[in-house]
Structures are given as C-alpha cells and as structure tokens.
C-alpha cells in the first residue's frame, strides 16, 4: 500500500468511527448476527430480497402494507436506518417506495431525470453508506425514459436541448453510443436505458470513492442495476454482480 492509500485508509477509518458514534446517538443500532449486516440489521442480499418481494407484490396488485402510520413516524423521529439507496429517475411513474412496497424510513432515494450521478448524488450515496450503514445501492432505469430518449435524439439526430437540459443529458450520451455499437439493430432507447444503468453501476463499483470500494470489498455493501417496466410493473435486476 503506498503512502497516499494508507493515509486515505486511516482517514476513512477515523471518519467511519466518528460516523458510528454519531449514528449511535442519532438512532437505534441493531447488532445483526451476520457480520455483513448493515446498521438496520439486513445484509445486502437480505435487503435485495425484501425489494424483490415488495415489487412482486406490487406488480401482482397485492401491494405490501407499507408502514407509514404515526407509530412508525414517531419511531423514526429518533433516527433512520434505511435498507437501500435507490438511484432512480424523477419520472412520476417510477416512485421507488410504491414500486417496492416500502414505507417510511426504508429507502434513501436519489432521483434525477435519467438516473445519473453527479457530485451531489455521489455525496448523498456516501452519506447513506457511511453514516447510515446502508448495505445496498440499487441503480434503476426504466422503460421509455424521457431523458434517455432525449439523449438518443442528440446522438441520432443531432437534436439540441437548450438550457440546463442539454447539460443534464451529457452523462447519458456515452451510454447511448455504447448501446448503439453493441446492438445496432436493437431498440436504441431500451438498450441505452440498460447501458446507462450499467455505466452508473460500474462507476459505483470501480471508481467512485474509497469509502464505497472498501465496503464492497468487505461484503458489507452491494451495488446492483435494475430496469423497471412501465407496462407490467416488474423490476428486472439485470446487473446484480457477484452474489
Ligand atoms: Zn426517466
């Protein structure tokens, strides 16, 4: 380990220790039997299974009774231990809590058109993982995404989107180019939706930040990719990495 990495690790350890102390004061901590369990008591795999079950119930028109009453609200007022970070699109048809049948305090959501991550989003993810002990990050695109469709128009028809929209689309352009190259005959928008998710997932798995990399290496954190189908309501976890 070189000096820079060693310093980074020491800083991370100090931050982690401080974060643990702060969180212990802020909310309930659960001593899970599994060493990979997050602060809420679930391992990455258990959190993923909860999301799968909630989505199956939602898609079959038997949604889980999401906890959102006053008792739960009062319980959470002292602190939160969400089971997953959801990086998803702002699209009004894709609300994570409803799609996964979750209630108050269960999902830490980051929503932006096209489900990309900038510095603010990455900082939010780091906060959730380091300070709240979240064991799972889901990056979720969706069918017929308007932001991805617009990025495809930029690539295919040289479309121009004025104002901040054009800049917002820029991170999606590499995904469209990669999807076109890999699937020249395919549905460019749908392939780009999946490729965009893959690229964000890869960024979080390989290059994003030391804090995220360390926890993934130890098994305490898992990053997965998914696509939501607008028609049947099913979430396809298509890029789940190593179990
Ligand atoms: Zn969208």
């Amino acid at each position: 380990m070189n000096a820079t990495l060693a310093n980074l690790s020491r800083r991370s350890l100090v931050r982690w220790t401080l974060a643990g102390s702060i969180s212990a004061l802020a909310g309930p901590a659960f001593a899970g039997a599994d060493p990979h369990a997050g602060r809420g008591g679930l391992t990455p795999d258990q959190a993923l299974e909860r999301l799968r079950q909630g989505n199956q119930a939602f898609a079959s028109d038997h949604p889980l009774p999401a906890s959102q009453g006053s008792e739960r609200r009062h319980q959470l007022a002292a602190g939160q231990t969400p089971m997953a970070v959801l990086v998803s699109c702002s699209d009004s048809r894709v609300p994570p809590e409803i799609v996964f049948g979750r209630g108050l305090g269960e999902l830490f959501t980051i929503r932006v058109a096209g489900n990309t991550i900038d510095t603010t989003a990455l900082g939010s993810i780091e906060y959730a993982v380091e300070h709240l002990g979240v064991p799972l990050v889901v990056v979720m695109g969706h069918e017929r995404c308007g932001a991805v469709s617009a990025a495809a128009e930029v690539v295919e028809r040289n479309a121009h989107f004025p104002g901040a929209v054009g800049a917002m689309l820029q991170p999606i352009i590499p995904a469209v180019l990669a999807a076109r190259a890999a699937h020249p005959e395919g549905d460019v928008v749908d392939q780009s939706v999946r490729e965009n998710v893959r690229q964000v997932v890869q960024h979080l798995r390989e290059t994003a930040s030391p804090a995220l990399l360390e926890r993934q290496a130890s098994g305490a954190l898992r990053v997965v990719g998914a696509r939501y189908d607008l028609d049947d309501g099913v979430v396809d976890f298509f890029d789940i990495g190593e179990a």
Side-chain angles (χ1 to χ4, degrees), residues 129-221:
V129 169
E130 283 197 278
H131 293 249
L132 304 179
V134 175
L136 177 69
V137 177
V138 178
V139 180
M140 185 169 76
H142 68 95
E143 186 181 23
R144 296 192 283 275
C145 179
V148 174
S149 299
E153 286 185 37
V154 171
V155 171
E156 298 206 302
R157 285 182 278 282
N158 202 25
H160 175 68
F161 293 89
V165 172
M168 180 193 78
L169 300 177
Q170 284 304 308
I172 308 174
I173 300 294
V176 176
L177 293 171
R180 272 168 39 113
H183 307 279
E185 306 298 325
D187 178 332
V188 66
V189 173
D190 208 50
Q191 292 297 342
S192 299
V193 163
R194 288 177 182 271
E195 184 58 33
N196 186 42
V197 167
R198 281 190 202 95
Q199 293 195 3
V200 175
V201 166
Q202 186 178 12
H203 180 55
L204 293 174
R205 281 183 188 156
E206 298 178 2
T207 59
S209 64
L212 298 183
L213 300 184
E214 286 168 13
R215 292 183 64 77
Q216 288 177 88
S218 73
L221 173 68

Side-chain angles (χ1 to χ4, degrees), residues 88-94 112-115 140-149 172 193 230:
S88 65
C89 186
S90 301
D91 193 302
S92 63
R93 299 166 294 181
V94 194
V112 60
N115 44 272
M140 185 169 76
H142 68 95
E143 186 181 23
R144 296 192 283 275
C145 179
V148 174
S149 299
I172 308 174
V193 163
L230 291 177

